[in-house]
Amino acid sequence: MREFLFYYSYAALFYVVLVTLLYYCIFGFSIRHIFAMKRGIQYNRIQKLSSSSQLPPVSLLVPAYNEELTIIENVRSLLALNYAEYEVIVVNDGSQDGTLKCMLEEFKLERIHPVQSSSIKTGKIRGVYHNPEYPNLFFIDKENGGKADSLNAGINLSHYDLISTIDADSLLEKDALTRIARVYMENPEETIAVGGNVRIVNSCTVEDGIVKDVQFPRKLLPALQHVEYTKAFLGGRIGWSAVNGLIIISGAFGVFQKEKVIAVGGYRGGYPGEDMN
C-alpha cells in the first residue's frame, strides 16, 4: 500500500509539473503573438475599414431569456455598431418576464411572416416581428427550448453567410465586428470561426450601451473573475491560436461561417455552454 501511494504521489507531481510547463509554453506563444497583433492593429485603419463595402455582412444572433432589465440597452448598443452591413436577430426563448413586451413597445415592432429556412429543426416559433424604421432588427418569439435552440432559430431566419453569437447581457465595442471581420478577410477560405476577447464590465462606466471608462472590479469575486478571463483569453486562447490549436470559441462573442454550422446540424442542447458545442 505504501509503495502504491509512493508511486501515486510521484505520478501526481509529474502531472502537475507537466501541465504547469505546458501553460508556461502557451503563455510564451501568447505574449509573442500579442505583440504581433498589437503592431497589426496600429497599422490597420479600422475606422476607415468600418464603412467599407468590402466587409462581409454579418447576422448577430442574440438569444434572450428573462432579460427585461437589460435587453433594450443591449439591443441599442448593437444597433449603433460601426459596421457597413449587418442585422440583429433577437430570439426570445419563452421568457417569463416582460422581455417580449419591452421589445415590442420600445421598437414598435409588428408581426411579419418572412420566408424562413428549415435547415435546422427548432422548437415552435410563436411569431417574428419587425419595424421598417429599424431595418436591420428582427425579433423572434418562440417557446422555451434552451439557448442552443434559440441560436438555431436565429440561424434559420438569418440572411447572411456569417453569423455571430452574442449573449443578451454582453456589450460590444463599436469596432468589434470590424476587427473580427478583418481577421476573417485575411484568409476566408480556411477561417471557419473567429473569437473575440471577453472582459468583465463590473465597475466600468456604461452609457447608452457603450463602455465609456474601463476600471478594474472593486469587489473580490468580480476581480477574481476578471483575472480568470484575462488568463483564459489573453494567456490561453491567443497562445493556442498561435500554434493553430484553438479549442473553443467563446459563446459570449464569436463569428462563424453559417454553412459550416448548418453542416454539423447546428447547436445541440444538453451542454453547459454553447462554446462546448
Side-chain angles (χ1 to χ4, degrees), residues 49 55-56 58 83 176-186:
L49 186 62
L55 286 172
V58 180
Y83 202 78
L177 270 185
T178 306
R179 294 182 183 276
I180 270 194
R182 180 185 65 82
V183 176
Y184 172 78
M185 291 169 67
E186 291 176 354

Side-chain angles (χ1 to χ4, degrees), residues 45-251:
R45 300 178 179 178
I46 295 297
Q47 293 183 348
K48 185 176 181 180
L49 186 62
S50 296
S51 58
S52 173
S53 60
Q54 300 301 315
L55 286 172
V58 180
S59 297
L60 304 180
L61 311 181
V62 188
Y65 179 73
N66 292 345
E67 301 286 352
E68 177 184 2
L69 298 179
T70 60
I71 190 67
I72 300 301
E73 182 179 19
N74 292 344
V75 169
R76 287 202 174 278
S77 73
L78 295 177
L79 294 176
L81 295 178
N82 293 331
Y83 202 78
E85 186 177 1
Y86 70 99
E87 64 181 357
V88 178
I89 302 176
V90 181
V91 185
N92 179 42
D93 189 36
S95 297
Q96 302 299 313
D97 63 356
T99 301
L100 173 63
K101 182 179 179 181
C102 285
M103 286 292 297
L104 297 184
E105 292 180 352
E106 179 69 22
F107 297 101
K108 305 295 189 296
L109 301 174
E110 296 184 359
R111 189 164 184 170
I112 61 174
H113 301 279
V115 177
Q116 299 185 66
S117 170
S118 57
S119 301
I120 307 174
K121 186 177 180 180
T122 67
K124 183 179 179 181
I125 305 298
R126 296 189 290 211
V128 179
Y129 300 84
H130 181 63
N131 181 352
E133 294 183 7
Y134 302 92
N136 61 333
L137 174 62
F138 295 88
F139 183 76
I140 301 175
D141 181 38
K142 61 180 290 295
E143 293 183 350
N144 181 262
K147 192 172 182 179
D149 192 60
S150 298
L151 290 171
N152 291 335
I155 292 173
N156 285 340
L157 180 64
S158 63
H159 303 93
Y160 300 135
D161 294 332
L162 290 181
I163 59 172
S164 176
T165 60
I166 302 174
D167 286 346
D169 58 354
S170 297
L171 300 174
L172 289 185
E173 294 183 353
K174 281 183 171 291
D175 61 354
L177 270 185
T178 306
R179 294 182 183 276
I180 270 194
R182 180 185 65 82
V183 176
Y184 172 78
M185 291 169 67
E186 291 176 354
N187 193 357
E189 290 80 15
E190 296 184 8
T191 303
I192 297 175
V194 184
N197 184 24
V198 180
R199 294 180 292 180
I200 306 300
V201 78
N202 297 61
S203 300
C204 296
T205 303
V206 180
E207 296 179 5
D208 299 325
I210 302 173
V211 179
K212 298 290 186 179
D213 183 42
V214 178
Q215 297 289 337
F216 189 81
R218 299 184 181 91
K219 295 184 178 180
L220 178 61
L221 290 181
L224 293 176
Q225 189 179 24
H226 182 92
V227 173
E228 172 61 24
Y229 270 51
T230 301
K231 179 183 76 69
F233 287 92
L234 297 183
R237 296 185 189 177
I238 291 179
W240 282 113
S241 181
V243 295
N244 199 27
L246 189 60
I247 302 173
I248 62 173
I249 298 294
S250 173

